[in-house]
Amino acid sequence: MDRPADFDGSQRPISVNDEEDYTDSDQDSQDYDDEEEEEEEHQQQQQQLARQRPPPTNGDPYYDDEDGDQWVRHGFAEAYSSEEYLKALEKSYFLYWTDPRHEHSGLPKPPSSNPADHKIDWRNRDRIRTAAAVLVICLRIGYDPPDVIKTDPCAKLECWVDPYSLPKDKAMDRIGRNLQHQFEALAATPKTKYKLYLDPPIEEARKFCTTARKTAKNERVLFYYNGHGVPKPTTSGELWLFNKQYTQYIPVSLAEVIAWLGSPTIMLWDCSAAGNIVTKVQEFSIKRDADLARDAANPPPPPPPGTGVPNGLPPAEPAPEKPQIPTIPFRDTIQLAACLGHETLPMNPDLPADLFTCCLTSPIEIALRFFLLRHPLKTNLTLEMLLELPGKLNDRRTPLGELTWIFTAVTDTIAWNTLPRELFQKLFRHDLVVAALFRGFLLAERIMRFYECTPISVPALPQTHNHPLWDSWDLAVDMCLSQLTKLLDADRAWKATLPVQPLLMPDQAPPPLPPGPPLPYTHSTFFAEQLTAFEIWLEQGAVPRRKNPQQLPVVLQVLLSQAHRLKALILLCKFLDLGPWAVNVALSIGIFAYVLRLLQAPAAELKPVLIYIWARILAVYENCKEDLLKQSYPPTRGIDQAPYHYFVSILAPSTNHLIIPNVSEHRAMCAFILSVCCRDYNPGRAACLRSNVFESCVVHLRDEDPLLRQWSTLCIAQIWDEFEEAKGLGVRTRVHELLCSILATETVPEVRASVMYALSTLLGASGSSSASKRFGRSIACCSPNSGLTPQEQLDVELGVAMAALKSATDGSPPVRRELVVLLSSIVNEHQGQFIIAAYRSLVERVSRAAAAAASSGSGDATPQLFPEDFVSSIAASLNAAAESDEGPANPAFQAALFSCIYKTLFDLTTDPSPDIAQMASHSLDYIIGLLFASPLGPAARQALSAAPTSASSARIKPPPQPGTVHRDSLIVQGTPAKPNGAAHPGRTATIMKSIANLTTSALPEPTPVPPSSLRLNGKMSGAQSPNGSVSPGLHSSASTDSLRHLQSRAGKPASKGKATVADPAAIEAAIAALITSDDERLRKRRGVTIWGMDEPADQVLPLKGAFYDFALEYYKESQMRATETDEPGSVAHNVRVWRRARNESIIIKTQLMKGTAARSKWDEQIGFYANDAQPNRIMFHQFEPHVVAADDRGVLTVYDWEANMRINRFTNGSPNSVPISTVRFVNEDDVALLLTGSADGHVRLFRKYESPSEVELASSFHGISETLPTSTKAQDAGLVLEWQQGRGHILMGGNVKYIRVWDATRELVLQDLPTRANSCLTSLTCDQVAGNILVAGFGDGNVKVYDRRIQPRDNMIRNYKGNHHAWVVNVHMQRGGNRELLSGSLAGEVCLWDIRLTEPIRTLQAHQGGMAQMAVHEHAPVFATSSALNVVKVWSMNEELEPISKFRNSPAVFMGQKQSPMSSMAFHPHHMVLGCASGEQLDVFQMSHYTQWFKK
């Protein structure tokens, strides 16, 4: 198909910066007329191309076949059928307004209700170490106790010593030394003092117990009792010792032992019937606690005065002291016992007699012996060979050290998976000695239960002897012992090469041997296998149910191994990525000390994982920053070698040799980590400033990665927050100017918000995380420590404020929220200037309201409008004052700037985001309160008394909260009835809420002529007054409403007489006094350092920004795992797959009915819905059975047209007199958002619009804020929107001289296309596939076509004049089908267009008496029109004579009521369904027999 050269579908660059301001519409029209002559030759070529085509069958030069599927209008066919374009169209599908910043409007999430996400005390601050140990051994070798009958042979070994192989004294000494050595090697804690007592007599018992308590003070005492040589403990609570002559066994009461040892204590009982001791110790401990509590509550009375011995001597004994209650109660005494009260210790000769002690203090040796005794196969190993296992306990490279390492991992893992979390922390993490003993106890339970002996403990532990991880331990032992023979042979061969050693005495220790060669030892695969199991758990485990991984303690132990460290850290990263609950679990297991120590590791491959781990930890626990700034490894290190310097070196831009993938992303994490180090921590700010972190962040502000730009900015904000030296450095290096330039050019909303946050902290907002720290200190009142003069400080503050004002219309709510915080900081520092600005604004509004009232009373149709050049005059005065010699010090400049700031705050009180409007209202309330309390208060009251009488009655109620659900109007099933007066709940009332509805002009609109002052495609929306005229528009009502509230705040009623004019001299004197008070207050604040400044109790400003807390949540969310909707097999993913399959099915089924739709009747009614108000807009969802109706009260109603029921009804959030002018759906292929545009220029997006319990505002912004004044003959169509899903753009226009293009991803204005029209824009459509062609209809009947790829001055490529003679009701280009373009006007003309032609293809007169509405089907070749009498005609685009269907839409009316014309009409995008709204009802029609055909 031949096409004109200008419409070849080529992609031309979109111009953004080369826009021109067309302010003279007449001149624009003249320019266009001149250009028509230049295009005459081009148009003749187009006509020639049309003539060369075959003669059409229906008079259409570009329409060949009846099916219409072979040709597409406007030359789009070849562009859309190209292979590259189709591939791009299939691959590219984006969802908009679904980023994290839209979930809560850029605010931090509320705290999680899941206890697993709550912070825990993982540091064990109340930990108690074991400071002293009493080791009591009662053997009396050679004398068996009378109540024990030993077998023959019997277990003999005590501490691996045969007591009968040596003389008694030497054997006892050897046993004691071995026991002490085993305890000392248990936890390698030199701070624990061990005292050994061998066969102690009863007289020494009290002494060594009380001495141990004195040594330990408030720490724990360990009491070990070996009673193998004394009788069993009695059931009455007594154990046995000896007399001095060792001729008798003397009982000792456990109550006395408890009193001597005190608390806290851990007791180890290795004797038969040890359960009797455990039971009585618990009983006596509880009694001891009760006695101490009673004595403390009832202390003994002091002796009476004068009592004593004769001669006035003091009494023989001092008065008893008040009993001291220990910090740890006696009932919390820890006990480990070898057996129950009725059991006897095992006497197997292959086992040691102190089997329980061996399990506790030498677990590896007894575990090897136990394994060999149970080995089912024949082996050449002997029990004696096991004691010769080479290696050292603390050397993990040797067999013995590796087994010790594995044993620690196994027992910790068993305890981690079986014990409650608090008990695990108490027993395995608070004290190294207690942890080692309980690891041995787990082994004792396994071994001794095998020999029918049950160890017990207090606190009691669940059974662990049959835990499956013991099988992994047996495998590791088997792998080690299978190499023992080879290892011993190699060891003997090496020792044979050593010189002969001299003979030694039996009690003489052998000299140390020189280091030998490496052993031929193959290391265990235990840790590699456990890491693999952990990896499988991460990939396929029960992660959604938040189960703790079984292998996490093993990962902790693997960090000690250099061979497996990298893999362990990578897996740890994946685990921490699961969320805050995973961070809690990892820290509770003890991971923190390891990752802190690893910051000393120089390995480059560890840098990415350590950065990620620390980012996840600090995101949850910010107080860990103190550990990064400590100089603890080693103590002699300087501050620059503290652990935080690990991240400083990576962030430095000069470090270009980093072997790190995605280096910008990891540098962003470093910037985040360092920002946390600076937040609320002055040593951190000083350290980062000294380490050049500030300069590094400034360099990264221009990085390509937006995440690095964002966190570099936030790091700068935290460094100079309340740190004057950093603020002075930033100003001297012009960082604030760089941030202001970034604010004007940045395309990423999060970066813009972070820049605004940084500037607000520079100007005095607080970046603290503490709720008690509300205020900061501005650059304008810094002390001389900053190195800036007062004038420099003021220049910076005002310059930043002027640059930030441009963000008042930013499309991102977080940016505007931080702007309000910044402006509140300026208000706090310059209260006098804002009092002056508020007074002048008040006087100006009163004078305008009086002028408007006078013009209305005189009958003059021309109102006194707000001057169009006001904004330009302010800009000119600012520029002139700034360029003068005084610069910002110029009083005129300051007055104009503060006036601009005040008006910006004033406009932000009407922000569509409720929380932003509330923050701005809070600041305005503060200013107004200061105004009435200031010297200008009387003058302000006089000005208010001069306000017109109309100002005393409000016309606008406060706007309701967006998304407020009208629950009383919802009915679950059936056709809903009208509710009985659903009220609109309002916002929280403040003094400025009424002012919040006031825009810059704040003037009454002219009295309208039909089609109305606010025509929404032919519908009158203004409220009718009793005399039949339309009430004034929004601005008039808001102005008088605000003045009425100000009169109420002033405390004096409006004067009905002539107001007294205030003395100008007195006003000027008051103004001068206010300016002087500002200067004096700043001077005083500069004289106080920030450390000596306290927050005044009555201070309310500045506000506090929340963007840092929101940005911090990025590192709490999962970054490595796919989202739930992208995870195959998840519920969300399955729902998405089903949804898209359903969408394709709907498209396929409905496409087959396009031809039938052009020949069938459309008068089959399938739905009737009663609305509470007249719908002015209706919209069908493409795939869900939803139709949304927006009425003139700003209420949105959602119906299910298939089930015939109302499912939701909620408010838009705009004032009641501001109707909704446009409704669109966004992301219809997935979970759709509802987009609304109201006549005041606000755009809002709602998620979950169909759910009464979950509907919420996703985002909002001021789409068009520059509403230009109109002439008396002009009308307004409100805010006209069109949404391009393919490109993510919102096209909007209205009573302005441009079509604005908003980018949904950037949330910025992308382009302004000049309309070159003298009337308002009434309808807008575009090419939905490529998105380059725009078609607009106007109030004067013109239809214009624009190409976005062309420069602004030339982008209007068609201007169709004279075809419509009235207001263009609708212009629409199909998104499917043949891409037909139709337009219709109030006069009844309907035109079918091809944008390559200068004239319409066809024109028909749809209605002789005028047309109210027109709708076009998106895919089928049909369109519908309605007359003022509600006659609906459905037309085929293939016919032009008669409609294919004609019927009357007759809403139910009461007797005497006038029938309302059609207010809105819309086709379903795919189904052959038509919705018609008139009166207060919505009717739904379908093509005849469509339901039966569709179900087939």
Side-chain angles (χ1 to χ4, degrees):
M1 176 178 178
D2 297 331
R3 294 171 298 164
D6 284 354
F7 299 90
D8 58 355
S10 61
Q11 295 289 333
R12 302 182 185 178
I14 299 175
S15 173
V16 180
N17 299 321
D18 297 335
E19 303 175 5
E20 296 182 15
D21 186 13
Y22 291 88
T23 57
D24 189 350
S25 299
D26 295 334
Q27 182 64 36
D28 295 341
S29 301
Q30 182 64 36
D31 293 341
Y32 180 75
D33 294 338
D34 296 339
E35 292 170 1
E36 286 183 344
E37 298 178 0
E38 301 176 1
E39 296 179 359
E40 183 177 356
E41 182 179 355
H42 173 65
Q43 295 171 0
Q44 293 176 355
Q45 293 176 358
Q46 289 182 326
Q47 299 293 343
Q48 183 66 26
L49 289 172
R51 296 190 191 97
Q52 292 175 358
R53 297 187 56 78
T57 59
N58 55 3
D60 184 351
Y62 284 170
Y63 201 92
D64 285 350
D65 300 326
E66 292 184 0
D67 56 10
D69 291 335
Q70 297 184 12
W71 307 106
V72 178
R73 291 282 182 204
H74 322 298
F76 292 159
E78 292 184 12
Y80 297 160
S81 60
S82 64
E83 189 172 342
E84 294 182 1
Y85 183 82
L86 293 177
K87 288 182 179 179
L89 193 62
E90 291 177 359
K91 294 180 180 179
S92 300
Y93 180 79
F94 298 99
L95 300 177
Y96 301 95
W97 287 288
T98 57
D99 293 328
R101 68 177 182 273
H102 299 120
E103 293 182 6
H104 298 279
S105 299
L107 292 171
K109 294 181 180 178
S112 174
S113 59
N114 192 329
D117 290 330
H118 298 170
K119 292 184 179 181
I120 60 174
D121 184 14
W122 54 269
R123 286 185 179 271
N124 305 324
R125 300 182 188 275
D126 56 346
R127 60 190 304 174
I128 300 175
R129 67 180 183 90
T130 301
V134 177
L135 308 179
V136 179
I137 302 177
C138 297
L139 290 181
R140 194 59 177 151
I141 299 173
Y143 300 92
D144 293 335
D147 59 347
V148 176
I149 301 176
K150 295 185 178 181
T151 61
D152 188 18
C154 182
K156 297 183 297 181
L157 297 179
E158 296 280 354
C159 296
W160 305 106
V161 175
D162 186 353
Y164 302 100
S165 63
L166 296 173
K168 294 181 180 180
D169 294 340
K170 292 185 178 181
M172 197 67 184
D173 186 62
R174 178 71 62 83
I175 292 172
R177 287 203 310 268
N178 282 6
L179 179 65
Q180 184 169 349
H181 176 72
Q182 288 173 190
F183 269 100
E184 289 175 347
L186 189 63
T189 54
K191 295 183 180 180
T192 304
K193 306 301 181 182
Y194 293 92
K195 292 296 182 179
L196 184 65
Y197 299 94
L198 305 177
D199 293 339
I202 184 63
E203 291 78 8
E204 297 181 6
R206 176 172 181 171
K207 180 179 179 181
F208 61 66
C209 288
T210 54
T211 301
R213 172 48 57 195
K214 291 179 181 179
T215 302
K217 297 181 181 179
N218 292 327
E219 302 290 345
R220 180 177 286 111
V221 173
L222 185 149
F223 182 80
Y224 169 80
Y225 176 76
N226 183 329
H228 297 172
V230 295
K232 297 178 182 178
T234 65
T235 56
S236 60
E238 295 173 329
L239 53 83
W240 300 90
L241 293 177
F242 305 99
N243 60 0
K244 283 187 177 182
Q245 294 76 24
Y246 295 99
T247 57
Q248 292 180 347
Y249 299 109
I250 307 298
V252 179
S253 174
L254 288 172
E256 294 181 354
V257 175
I258 293 172
W260 297 337
L261 292 174
S263 180
T265 308
I266 178 172
M267 299 179 175
L268 312 179
W269 311 109
D270 189 354
C271 59
S272 298
N276 294 335
I277 302 178
V278 173
T279 303
K280 286 301 178 179
V281 167
Q282 287 182 288
E283 180 183 333
F284 294 152
S285 296
I286 294 174
K287 185 176 183 299
R288 177 74 174 171
D289 287 334
D291 293 342
L292 290 176
R294 184 180 62 254
D295 294 343
N298 302 303
T307 59
V309 297
N311 301 324
L313 297 177
E317 294 183 3
E321 297 180 358
K322 183 178 179 179
Q324 297 293 327
I325 300 179
T327 56
I328 304 297
F330 284 89
R331 61 178 175 271
D332 289 343
T333 297
I334 301 174
Q335 299 184 74
L336 299 177
C339 59
L340 296 175
H342 63 278
E343 293 179 342
T344 303
L345 295 179
M347 298 184 186
N348 189 326
D350 294 329
L351 299 175
D354 60 343
L355 176 61
F356 185 65
T357 301
C358 290
C359 291
L360 296 182
T361 59
S362 55
I364 303 302
E365 291 83 351
I366 192 61
L368 296 179
R369 182 177 289 255
F370 177 69
F371 176 82
L372 189 60
L373 292 175
R374 295 178 57 209
H375 201 285
L377 302 178
K378 184 178 291 187
T379 177
N380 57 353
L381 298 177
T382 63
L383 295 178
E384 290 73 17
M385 294 173 62
L386 299 179
L387 298 177
E388 299 178 9
L389 183 68
K392 297 180 180 179
L393 289 174
N394 56 359
D395 189 353
R396 292 182 296 273
R397 296 169 297 180
T398 62
L400 183 59
E402 185 181 58
L403 282 180
T404 304
W405 185 25
I406 296 175
F407 176 78
T408 302
V410 168
T411 51
D412 276 11
T413 304
I414 293 175
W416 165 258
N417 290 286
T418 56
L419 301 186
R421 194 63 59 239
E422 293 183 359
L423 186 59
F424 174 82
Q425 289 289 326
K426 177 181 178 181
L427 301 182
F428 286 84
R429 289 296 179 264
H430 283 195
D431 185 2
L432 295 178
V433 174
V434 174
L437 291 173
F438 269 92
R439 292 189 189 104
F441 180 80
L442 297 181
L443 178 65
E445 188 184 24
R446 185 193 188 207
I447 295 176
M448 298 185 74
R449 278 181 178 271
F450 182 80
Y451 295 103
E452 300 181 357
C453 192
T454 307
I456 56 177
S457 68
V458 177
L461 304 184
Q463 295 184 6
T464 59
H465 64 281
N466 56 356
H467 195 279
L469 204 57
W470 286 119
D471 296 334
S472 299
W473 164 251
D474 290 339
L475 178 60
V477 172
D478 191 16
M479 293 180 63
C480 179
L481 293 184
S482 64
Q483 308 176 63
L484 182 57
T485 303
K486 179 178 63 175
L487 295 174
L488 293 178
D489 291 342
D491 187 61
R492 293 190 191 100
W494 170 70
K495 289 181 179 179
T497 62
L498 298 177
V500 179
Q501 298 291 333
L503 296 177
L504 302 174
M505 298 299 292
D507 57 347
Q508 186 177 359
L513 297 176
L519 295 174
Y521 176 68
T522 303
H523 291 279
S524 173
T525 59
F526 171 80
F527 289 106
E529 293 168 354
Q530 294 299 315
L531 288 179
T532 302
F534 186 42
E535 185 175 12
I536 294 173
W537 182 89
L538 287 171
E539 294 176 356
Q540 304 177 4
V543 175
R545 293 193 292 272
R546 295 188 174 185
K547 290 185 176 180
N548 296 334
Q550 178 179 345
Q551 300 81 14
L552 194 59
V554 179
V555 176
L556 180 67
Q557 294 296 324
V558 172
L559 294 180
L560 301 173
S561 171
Q562 191 170 359
H564 303 290
R565 183 176 295 160
L566 179 60
K567 183 177 181 180
L569 288 174
I570 292 174
L571 295 179
L572 183 60
C573 286
K574 293 182 179 180
F575 177 67
L576 296 179
D577 188 67
L578 299 179
W581 72 272
V583 177
N584 290 338
V585 171
L587 292 178
S588 66
I589 201 65
I591 212 78
F592 183 79
Y594 290 78
V595 295
L596 181 62
R597 198 68 177 263
L598 283 175
L599 293 180
Q600 302 174 75
E605 64 273 9
L606 299 183
K607 292 182 182 295
V609 288
L610 286 176
I611 292 171
Y612 190 84
I613 289 172
W614 273 99
R616 306 297 294 194
I617 292 175
L618 289 174
V620 181
Y621 293 93
E622 294 185 36
N623 57 357
C624 292
K625 59 195 171 191
E626 300 177 9
D627 299 89
L628 290 178
L629 292 158
K630 286 181 181 178
Q631 309 171 49
S632 53
Y633 301 114
T636 56
R637 278 189 169 187
I639 187 66
D640 291 338
Q641 279 77 40
Y644 86 100
H645 196 72
Y646 188 88
F647 309 104
V648 174
S649 61
I650 298 173
L651 182 64
S654 58
T655 313
N656 297 323
H657 58 278
L658 294 175
I659 309 176
I660 297 179
N662 302 325
V663 63
S664 293
E665 182 178 358
H666 288 86
R667 279 177 167 164
M669 294 184 209
C670 291
F672 161 69
I673 292 169
L674 294 172
S675 71
V676 174
C677 291
C678 297
R679 195 180 195 193
D680 293 328
Y681 198 53
N682 295 323
R685 297 187 183 108
C688 288
L689 190 65
R690 188 163 53 248
S691 302
N692 298 326
V693 174
F694 191 92
E695 291 81 354
S696 299
C697 292
V698 172
V699 174
H700 293 312
L701 292 178
R702 294 297 188 184
D703 194 89
E704 296 180 356
D705 188 355
L707 188 63
L708 179 54
R709 299 200 302 271
Q710 173 186 338
W711 278 109
S712 296
T713 307
L714 293 175
C715 187
I716 291 174
Q718 292 300 336
I719 291 176
W720 69 22
D721 180 30
E722 300 190 30
F723 193 27
E724 296 178 349
E725 288 81 356
K727 288 184 178 181
L729 175 63
V731 171
R732 290 192 298 273
T733 55
R734 299 184 179 275
V735 175
H736 63 289
E737 296 180 3
L738 177 60
L739 293 176
C740 291
S741 65
I742 292 175
L743 189 64
T745 58
E746 180 59 55
T747 60
V748 180
E750 288 86 352
V751 180
R752 297 199 304 273
S754 64
V755 170
M756 193 67 74
Y757 179 88
L759 293 175
S760 66
T761 56
L762 177 67
L763 267 58
S766 175
S768 173
S769 60
S770 174
S772 60
K773 181 61 178 176
R774 299 180 298 163
F775 314 116
R777 192 173 189 181
S778 174
I779 184 67
C781 59
C782 286
S783 67
N785 294 335
S786 63
L788 302 175
T789 64
Q791 187 57 48
E792 289 175 335
Q793 296 174 6
L794 183 62
D795 292 351
V796 170
E797 183 185 38
L798 299 184
V800 168
M802 189 163 58
L805 290 178
K806 299 178 182 178
S807 299
T809 57
D810 196 286
S812 178
V815 179
R816 303 197 305 273
R817 185 180 299 109
E818 297 303 322
L819 172 63
V820 175
V821 174
L822 184 146
L823 297 181
S824 70
S825 302
I826 303 174
V827 172
N828 181 63
E829 299 298 341
H830 302 277
Q831 300 175 7
Q833 292 281 7
F834 281 97
I835 292 173
I836 298 169
Y839 170 75
R840 289 171 174 169
S841 176
L842 173 63
V843 172
E844 182 182 359
R845 292 203 310 276
V846 169
S847 62
R848 290 205 311 268
S855 62
S856 300
S858 63
D860 187 4
T862 303
Q864 299 295 323
L865 295 175
F866 186 64
E868 292 188 58
D869 58 346
F870 177 76
V871 176
S872 59
S873 65
I874 291 181
S877 63
L878 286 174
N879 293 331
E883 293 174 359
S884 66
D885 295 337
E886 295 177 300
N890 190 337
F893 172 85
Q894 294 184 12
L897 179 58
F898 288 117
S899 177
C900 285
I901 296 175
Y902 178 83
K903 291 182 181 298
T904 301
L905 269 176
F906 195 86
D907 291 339
L908 285 170
T909 57
T910 67
D911 194 274
S913 180
D915 65 304
I916 298 176
Q918 185 176 8
M919 293 172 65
S921 298
H922 182 71
S923 300
L924 263 294
D925 282 351
Y926 181 71
I927 296 174
I928 296 301
L930 293 177
L931 171 61
F932 289 129
S934 70
L936 287 177
R941 293 185 177 91
Q942 287 186 5
L944 283 173
S945 65
T949 307
S950 60
S952 61
S953 58
R955 295 194 180 112
I956 295 181
K957 296 180 180 179
Q961 288 281 357
T964 301
V965 178
H966 293 237
R967 297 185 181 275
D968 53 353
S969 63
L970 298 181
I971 296 180
V972 178
Q973 294 179 350
T975 303
K978 293 178 63 175
N980 298 324
H984 295 260
R987 296 178 184 170
T988 304
T990 68
I991 187 63
M992 297 306 297
K993 280 305 177 183
S994 55
I995 306 178
N997 302 316
L998 184 62
T999 60
T1000 305
S1001 58
L1003 289 174
E1005 295 292 336
T1007 303
V1009 294
S1012 81
S1013 63
L1014 187 61
R1015 174 171 291 281
L1016 303 175
N1017 288 1
K1019 175 184 177 298
M1020 300 276 291
S1021 65
Q1024 289 283 348
S1025 60
N1027 58 6
S1029 63
V1030 181
S1031 64
L1034 166 66
H1035 305 318
S1036 170
S1037 300
S1039 177
T1040 56
D1041 191 43
S1042 64
L1043 294 177
R1044 183 183 70 87
H1045 277 276
L1046 285 177
Q1047 288 172 342
S1048 174
R1049 179 64 178 269
K1052 294 183 178 181
S1055 174
K1056 298 185 180 296
K1058 185 176 180 180
T1060 305
V1061 180
D1063 183 10
I1067 293 177
E1068 291 299 326
I1071 291 175
L1074 289 171
I1075 296 176
T1076 304
S1077 66
D1078 274 357
D1079 296 339
E1080 184 63 26
R1081 185 173 58 256
L1082 286 176
R1083 189 177 303 108
K1084 290 181 179 179
R1085 286 167 61 83
R1086 292 188 186 111
V1088 182
T1089 61
I1090 195 169
W1091 315 117
M1093 185 179 64
D1094 296 328
E1095 294 183 357
D1098 58 345
Q1099 185 175 349
V1100 296
L1101 295 180
L1103 303 173
K1104 196 171 183 179
F1107 184 76
Y1108 186 91
D1109 294 312
F1110 162 76
L1112 181 143
E1113 291 181 346
Y1114 175 81
Y1115 292 108
K1116 294 182 181 179
E1117 304 294 335
S1118 178
Q1119 307 299 329
M1120 295 184 178
R1121 298 179 64 88
T1123 60
E1124 190 70 12
T1125 54
D1126 296 330
E1127 189 73 31
S1130 66
V1131 175
H1133 181 268
N1134 292 340
V1135 170
R1136 172 172 285 184
V1137 171
W1138 170 86
R1139 186 183 294 114
R1140 294 194 174 176
R1142 177 207 59 184
N1143 298 349
E1144 293 178 2
S1145 175
I1146 292 176
I1147 294 174
I1148 292 173
K1149 287 183 179 181
T1150 55
Q1151 289 296 314
L1152 300 175
M1153 304 177 189
K1154 294 192 299 184
T1156 307
R1159 301 186 296 270
S1160 301
K1161 296 292 184 181
W1162 285 74
D1163 54 358
E1164 183 177 333
Q1165 185 169 358
I1166 61 173
F1168 164 80
Y1169 310 99
N1171 209 52
D1172 290 351
Q1174 182 172 356
N1176 53 26
R1177 285 292 179 271
I1178 60 174
M1179 184 73 182
F1180 285 92
H1181 192 288
Q1182 284 196 58
F1183 306 107
E1184 301 289 346
H1186 298 161
V1187 56
V1188 176
D1191 58 38
D1192 53 5
R1193 299 178 183 175
V1195 179
L1196 295 155
T1197 308
V1198 185
Y1199 300 96
D1200 187 325
W1201 61 270
E1202 288 184 350
N1204 284 330
M1205 59 184 294
R1206 178 189 293 173
I1207 58 178
N1208 197 11
R1209 179 175 171 82
F1210 59 94
T1211 58
N1212 184 54
S1214 54
N1216 292 340
S1217 64
V1218 180
I1220 300 172
S1221 55
T1222 308
V1223 179
R1224 292 290 184 269
F1225 285 106
V1226 180
N1227 305 336
E1228 286 182 277
D1229 286 352
D1230 200 74
V1231 180
L1233 302 175
L1234 181 62
L1235 183 148
T1236 65
S1238 52
D1240 55 2
H1242 290 172
V1243 179
R1244 296 176 176 86
L1245 291 106
F1246 296 91
R1247 68 166 62 89
K1248 300 178 182 178
Y1249 61 88
E1250 75 283 0
S1251 173
S1253 60
E1254 297 179 317
V1255 59
E1256 57 184 355
L1257 186 68
S1259 185
S1260 58
F1261 58 94
H1262 207 160
I1264 292 181
S1265 55
E1266 307 91 334
T1267 303
L1268 299 180
T1270 60
S1271 63
T1272 56
K1273 297 182 180 180
Q1275 289 83 37
D1276 189 2
L1279 182 64
V1280 181
L1281 299 179
E1282 182 66 9
W1283 165 246
Q1284 290 182 336
Q1285 180 71 43
R1287 300 183 69 170
H1289 293 167
I1290 302 179
L1291 315 176
M1292 61 181 65
N1295 194 26
V1296 289
K1297 296 187 177 182
Y1298 55 80
I1299 299 173
R1300 175 159 289 175
V1301 182
W1302 281 86
D1303 186 278
T1305 303
R1306 303 176 183 179
E1307 296 188 287
L1308 283 176
V1309 176
L1310 187 65
Q1311 194 176 13
D1312 279 347
L1313 306 175
T1315 59
R1316 303 187 188 182
N1318 291 324
S1319 61
C1320 68
L1321 185 145
T1322 62
S1323 183
L1324 186 62
T1325 188
C1326 66
D1327 168 25
Q1328 286 288 348
V1329 182
N1332 296 317
I1333 303 300
L1334 280 67
V1335 184
F1338 295 88
D1340 57 2
N1342 290 349
V1343 176
K1344 300 176 184 288
V1345 183
Y1346 305 89
D1347 191 334
R1348 290 175 53 188
R1349 297 166 292 186
I1350 304 177
Q1351 295 296 324
R1353 188 173 183 85
D1354 304 321
N1355 56 18
M1356 187 175 69
I1357 57 177
R1358 286 287 180 267
N1359 186 8
Y1360 299 115
K1361 297 181 179 179
N1363 299 285
H1364 294 296
H1365 302 89
W1367 183 285
V1368 175
V1369 175
N1370 191 12
V1371 56
H1372 188 87
M1373 179 184 290
Q1374 289 182 311
R1375 70 177 64 185
N1378 300 307
R1379 316 303 305 284
E1380 300 287 5
L1381 174 63
L1382 288 91
S1383 62
S1385 69
L1386 287 175
E1389 309 101 349
V1390 177
C1391 297
L1392 179 66
W1393 304 93
D1394 191 303
I1395 61 174
R1396 294 170 292 182
L1397 302 179
T1398 58
E1399 297 295 332
I1401 297 173
R1402 293 197 303 275
T1403 301
L1404 62 88
Q1405 187 70 30
H1407 301 275
Q1408 296 298 328
M1411 183 171 64
Q1413 296 292 327
M1414 184 187 81
V1416 182
H1417 200 282
E1418 294 288 1
H1419 300 278
V1422 295
F1423 65 96
T1425 61
S1426 69
S1427 67
L1429 300 177
N1430 281 335
V1431 176
V1432 179
K1433 296 181 181 179
V1434 181
W1435 306 79
S1436 170
M1437 298 180 189
N1438 301 329
E1439 303 290 341
E1440 60 181 30
L1441 300 177
E1442 294 295 332
I1444 60 176
S1445 184
K1446 180 179 179 180
F1447 58 93
R1448 181 183 295 274
N1449 179 46
S1450 300
V1453 296
F1454 294 99
M1455 185 178 297
Q1457 277 188 327
K1458 183 179 180 181
Q1459 184 172 348
S1460 302
M1462 188 80 69
S1463 58
S1464 183
M1465 184 164 56
F1467 278 101
H1468 191 285
H1470 296 289
H1471 290 287
M1472 306 307 160
V1473 173
L1474 174 65
C1476 302
S1478 60
E1480 294 186 358
Q1481 74 179 46
L1482 171 63
D1483 300 318
V1484 179
F1485 300 88
Q1486 69 176 8
M1487 184 182 72
S1488 298
H1489 309 294
Y1490 172 71
T1491 304
Q1492 294 85 343
W1493 292 347
F1494 181 76
K1495 289 182 178 179
K1496 293 180 182 179

